Amino acid sequence: MGDDPALREFAVEVGRPDGQIDLARAALVVARLEYSDLSPAPYLRRLDELAAASGRHARPAARGRDPLGQLHRVREYLFAELGFSGNRRDYFDPRNSFVNDVLDRRLGIPITLSLVLIEVGRRVGLELHGIGLPGHFITGLRMGDDRILLDAFNRGRIVTAESCEAVVAKAVGRPVPLTEAHWNPVGKRQFLARMLNNLKAVYWRREAWDKAVQVLDRMLVLAPGAAVLGRDRGTALQHLGEHHRAAVEWERYLARCPQADDYEQVRGRLRKAREHVARLN
């Protein structure tokens, strides 16, 4: 992992069994992409304080004995009183993907706002979990045979499966029938991978290729066998003028994915990269 201490720390954070990963801490380590000196500790304390404050103002019946009442209190505190909300004005601002910024600005995207809701909920005894729908991320809570769905991007609004289908259709541009599998809780590695994928898309959109490479390095820690990540890393490296390193990534991709739909396209890029390297020698 070279000389990137933040990458090594991220690898340590996600190198334990999924259930033992500290999701908030790992997400804060991701934020060192932009804030190299960031300490997770103050922001972990901030989550503790948010949970404590929501509990202090809860009605007596909501403290531990009434999960639904506690859930509504957490929602009210985070979204109504403190004003956490989705950043509709600048959805692709990278700060929306960094939990420290989300806590400071009270603005984010669905997955980071869900993370705040889940982590505050966990601290008051609520077993909230992430649900990664196509094009949108929400939060769920199982209560017996019932499932409560919350949309943190829309101020913690309680939603239905039917309304989620409408949101997903709008996000992806076509109707997507949601099956039972879509509602499965997202594991912590999956959660972090989706956060990183969002961040990769932001940097790709901004042509911030150095940051895109760093994000892909972290995605490869989570999924070292994902050939497409290596392919994309090669593309980012090529944009940075790192033609030899790009060629290495593309050679590996072509060897591993001979049936890929983009095989000929990538082979063409590889040929041009080799020609460029040869001209330099």
Side-chain angles (χ1 to χ4, degrees):
M1 297 183 186
D3 57 354
D4 186 345
L7 178 59
R8 290 196 298 271
E9 185 174 2
F10 179 73
V12 170
E13 290 294 332
V14 302
R16 45 182 63 100
D18 198 88
Q20 297 177 22
I21 293 172
D22 186 326
L23 182 61
R25 178 179 288 277
L28 287 162
V29 172
V30 167
R32 287 186 176 157
L33 283 162
E34 289 284 355
Y35 307 100
S36 58
D37 296 327
L38 178 71
S39 171
Y43 290 96
L44 294 173
R45 286 197 297 272
R46 182 88 60 85
L47 291 167
D48 294 341
E49 291 161 2
L50 291 173
S54 70
R56 280 197 300 271
H57 294 100
R59 293 184 298 275
R63 295 188 184 131
R65 297 188 297 276
D66 177 13
L68 184 58
Q70 182 66 74
L71 175 64
H72 288 315
R73 181 57 201 145
V74 169
R75 289 175 57 237
E76 179 184 350
Y77 183 62
L78 290 178
F79 301 106
E81 295 185 30
L82 297 185
F84 279 87
S85 63
N87 189 350
R88 299 178 184 278
R89 180 174 297 179
D90 193 358
Y91 190 92
F92 295 101
D93 186 332
R95 292 177 294 180
N96 296 330
S97 290
F98 298 128
V99 174
N100 57 310
D101 280 319
V102 175
L103 288 169
D104 287 340
R105 302 169 71 227
R106 300 178 187 175
L107 284 173
I109 53 177
I111 194 165
T112 48
L113 290 165
S114 291
L115 187 149
V116 171
L117 176 58
I118 289 167
E119 287 294 313
V120 172
R122 180 175 66 79
R123 285 162 167 78
V124 299
L126 295 171
E127 295 185 13
L128 292 158
H129 56 265
I131 298 173
L133 300 176
H136 197 60
F137 200 95
I138 62 171
T139 307
L141 176 67
R142 277 284 187 188
M143 297 190 67
D145 294 331
D146 296 326
R147 177 174 55 208
I148 299 174
L149 305 172
L150 304 102
D151 188 347
F153 188 74
N154 289 294
R155 294 185 176 272
R157 184 177 65 191
I158 292 179
V159 293
T160 64
E162 292 73 22
S163 64
C164 286
E165 285 201 345
V167 170
V168 167
K170 183 177 180 181
V172 303
R174 58 181 174 81
V176 179
L178 298 179
T179 66
E180 190 60 31
H182 284 107
W183 307 109
N184 289 338
V186 169
K188 293 178 181 178
R189 283 192 184 82
Q190 289 177 283
F191 202 116
L192 293 163
R194 185 147 171 168
M195 281 183 61
L196 287 165
N197 194 55
N198 289 338
L199 193 54
K200 173 200 162 195
V202 168
Y203 288 136
W204 214 270
R205 185 187 183 98
R206 293 175 172 231
E207 299 184 358
W209 304 115
D210 56 335
K211 295 294 186 184
V213 169
Q214 292 178 58
V215 172
L216 283 159
D217 287 343
R218 285 150 178 79
M219 295 178 76
L220 283 162
V221 168
L222 290 167
V228 293
L229 296 178
R231 178 203 63 192
D232 291 349
R233 192 173 187 276
T235 301
L237 288 167
Q238 185 264 334
H239 281 292
L240 289 169
E242 299 275 358
H243 298 280
H244 175 70
R245 294 173 66 196
V248 170
E249 295 287 0
W250 289 334
E251 286 169 354
R252 185 180 297 121
Y253 174 72
L254 294 174
R256 295 172 63 185
C257 302
Q259 304 301 319
D261 291 341
D262 61 352
Y263 184 91
E264 291 300 326
Q265 180 183 9
V266 175
R267 190 166 72 164
R269 292 183 199 167
L270 174 59
R271 182 175 61 253
K272 290 180 180 178
R274 285 172 172 165
E275 290 170 355
H276 186 92
V277 172
R279 287 196 297 270
L280 296 177
N281 292 334

